[in-house]
Amino acid sequence: MIRLSGIEKSFGNKRVLRGISMTVETGRIFAVMGPSGSGKSTLLRCVNFLERPTRGAIEAGGRTIDANTATSRDILFLRNRTAMVFQQFNLFQNLTVTGNVMLGLTDVKKMNRRVAREESLRLLDRVGLSDKADYYPSQLSGGQQQRVGIARALAMKPDVLLLDEPTSALDPELIEDVLRCIINVAADVNSMIIVTHELGFAREAANTIVFIDDGVVIEETEAQAFFRSPSSERAECFLKNSLRRHINPSETPLERAI
Amino acid sequence: MQKELDWAFLWKNIIAISAKIPVTMYLALLATFFGVIIGLLIAIIRIYKIPALRWAASAYVSFIRGTPVLVQLYLVYYGVPWVLLTAAAKLGMAGVTERFNPNNISPVIFALVTFSLNSGGYLSETLRSAIESVDRGQIEAARSIGLRESRILLKIVLPQAALNAIPNLGNSLIGMVKDTSLAFSVMVIDVMGEAKLIGSKTLRYLEIYIAVSIVYWSLCILLELIFGVAEKRMKMTRRELAE
């Protein structure tokens, strides 16, 4: 379980998040949606303190960590209970695929190298990349790199897995692969928060949709209900615009995927 | 009357001077090695904005870049023994300086200290940009799985920064080979020192300076070749990886 209370974040004078609260119970998958610039990614990056929130608190693993008083020890505690999948994959270029997955296990979880290697190979198999174990990231396609990113995050067995627009840097024909992969591993994960623009994917994968605009939560609705009829006008408008964009230019990869 | 150039003399002394190449290379290689260590420390202090040390590091780099190496060499040569002797006297340890007199320290050590400090100042900038060129996204990814900053530096940043820095390190070493010619000012008999000694004995200065320039030039061409090959190899492994 992870609970965000009153998260605020400003960059200079610009208030990007204006007090966001949500509770993600174990077993739940939240999709955070909203227009560009609404603060979705910033919110996700505040959860593991890649951005330090200006105000607010995060509760995880039985501890409440306040943005104003968080020490580097608190931040490590939080990061040990979360893991992140990035838009740009961010694989370690100097390590092999296995090395990428293993690093957290040997270095953070202090696992024996042999055990860590076995665990990594098991996870790579899970994301369908056991044949690429000894490759370097630069030898892989974007979709494959992102699946390594997912395996690397899964290895940490986080309370909550954070996915920051995991398919928006991918070529359209590779998106399906990665979305399938996320849906496949969802069963192994305690809980997830996904920032995504892929409507069909959010609808299939998520239990709850959190719709954010201008740094505030506009609505938090059960996923099926959200796509049937969102309760706020802004969300309805957003859905209409997105659907128009997605349906008109023939079939989009996301509709093929789902 | 104008003297003829003595070619045989010139040739013979290229060989005599070359006998001191090991001294020059020893100075240049060790100074660059210590320079990398000092430069790395300074780069890390400046990148991580470590309070207090940060200002000291800036002042140090500014001083190194703002004064001639020759001046730095004299400062170390005269300054270090003075500091040691004064400190020993103040601490009432005059007895120590009788057995171990700072004035007897080999001039090579003073030269080595100076050139190490000097190259450390310059290399700190090279290393800083090599470190900063490592993709920030990878650092964030390492943080997101709970790695400590020191481990991120060791496991992710430095291995990639080292590859970025190799071409510049080659240039620094070549620069250092030439800078060490100043070591003769504090009585180190390196390539330049040997040339000056022969010159003053035979008074055939022009031949000697032609000889010494040929020695330095050949040495630098050789080093350029070595680093050229190393760089090409590195690029090749990178390309192989990318394919």
Side-chain angles (χ1 to χ4, degrees), chain A:
Chain A
M1 189 274 284
I2 192 156
R3 174 174 292 143
L4 318 183
S5 332
I7 299 294
E8 292 179 26
K9 176 70 186 176
S10 301
F11 294 106
N13 287 330
K14 195 168 159 36
R15 292 180 66 199
V16 179
L17 302 176
R18 305 158 180 259
I20 289 195
S21 303
M22 65 171 84
T23 305
V24 185
E25 301 285 355
T26 307
R28 305 289 291 174
I29 297 175
F30 273 46
V32 178
M33 308 195 80
S36 317
S38 55
K40 308 178 298 281
S41 285
T42 307
L43 174 66
L44 211 59
R45 292 163 59 81
C46 280
V47 174
N48 59 3
F49 274 67
L50 285 185
E51 303 288 354
R52 194 188 182 105
T54 314
R55 212 167 289 134
I58 294 167
E59 187 186 330
R63 251 160 88 172
T64 303
I65 287 148
D66 190 283
N68 287 320
T69 57
T71 62
S72 54
R73 194 181 275 244
D74 292 332
I75 293 171
L76 273 182
F77 177 86
L78 211 49
R79 288 177 180 167
N80 284 335
R81 270 155 194 78
T82 58
M84 194 173 222
V85 173
F86 296 84
Q87 190 176 347
Q88 302 291 344
F89 332 130
N90 295 352
L91 297 185
F92 309 131
Q93 298 296 319
N94 59 321
L95 301 177
T96 61
V97 165
T98 317
N100 267 271
V101 183
M102 272 176 72
L103 184 63
L105 296 176
T106 52
D107 220 270
V108 179
K109 296 207 181 284
K110 308 289 178 210
M111 207 181 264
N112 165 302
R113 284 193 72 81
R114 198 177 46 79
V115 181
R117 173 172 291 276
E118 276 167 21
E119 174 69 4
S120 304
L121 291 175
R122 192 186 66 76
L123 284 162
L124 286 173
D125 190 44
R126 193 89 180 76
V127 298
L129 286 174
S130 39
D131 56 326
K132 304 284 185 205
D134 296 323
Y135 283 49
Y136 280 87
S138 54
Q139 296 167 291
L140 303 182
S141 74
Q144 291 168 334
Q145 289 193 50
Q146 191 58 299
R147 275 143 62 198
V148 177
I150 292 167
R152 175 175 70 183
L154 286 177
M156 305 315 291
K157 292 201 170 37
D159 291 355
V160 56
L161 179 63
L162 311 166
L163 298 104
D164 185 10
E165 303 197 23
T167 58
S168 50
L170 293 174
D171 292 335
E173 68 270 21
L174 300 174
I175 293 180
E176 180 181 337
D177 249 14
V178 170
L179 294 182
R180 278 281 150 229
C181 177
I182 295 170
I183 291 173
N184 276 338
V185 301
D188 305 355
V189 181
N190 288 320
S191 61
M192 287 204 251
I193 306 177
I194 311 170
V195 169
T196 184
H197 290 294
E198 304 282 349
L199 299 184
F201 167 66
R203 183 177 200 156
E204 187 183 350
N207 309 121
T208 305
I209 308 295
V210 178
F211 183 78
I212 291 184
D213 195 8
D214 211 12
V216 288
V217 175
I218 306 292
E219 65 169 285
E220 185 183 319
T221 314
E222 190 265 321
Q224 298 310 322
F226 179 85
F227 287 104
R228 222 178 304 120
S229 60
S231 47
S232 66
E233 216 169 286
R234 265 196 265 182
E236 202 178 325
C237 189
F238 169 80
L239 276 180
K240 262 187 202 151
N241 285 335
S242 314
L243 284 174
R244 194 177 307 134
R245 217 174 35 243
H246 278 174
I247 286 168
N248 278 348
S250 74
E251 198 185 32
T252 64
L254 104 94
E255 278 137 8
R256 254 182 282 127
I258 304 306

Side-chain angles (χ1 to χ4, degrees), chain B residues 134-196:
Chain B
V134 175
D135 166 34
R136 279 204 65 77
Q138 292 180 44
I139 299 171
E140 290 192 339
R143 285 184 184 146
S144 76
I145 54 174
L147 254 70
R148 288 164 192 280
E149 296 298 321
S150 57
R151 301 297 295 170
I152 297 173
L153 192 65
L154 204 66
K155 291 279 184 177
I156 305 300
V157 177
L158 290 184
Q160 294 182 61
L163 280 185
N164 296 339
I166 283 179
N168 280 325
L169 286 180
N171 289 336
S172 296
L173 179 64
I174 287 168
M176 188 49 68
V177 165
K178 291 175 290 176
D179 282 353
T180 55
S181 63
L182 291 168
F184 180 65
S185 327
V186 294
M187 313 304 157
V188 175
I189 312 299
D190 62 341
V191 168
M192 187 63 183
E194 186 69 11
K196 283 220 171 188

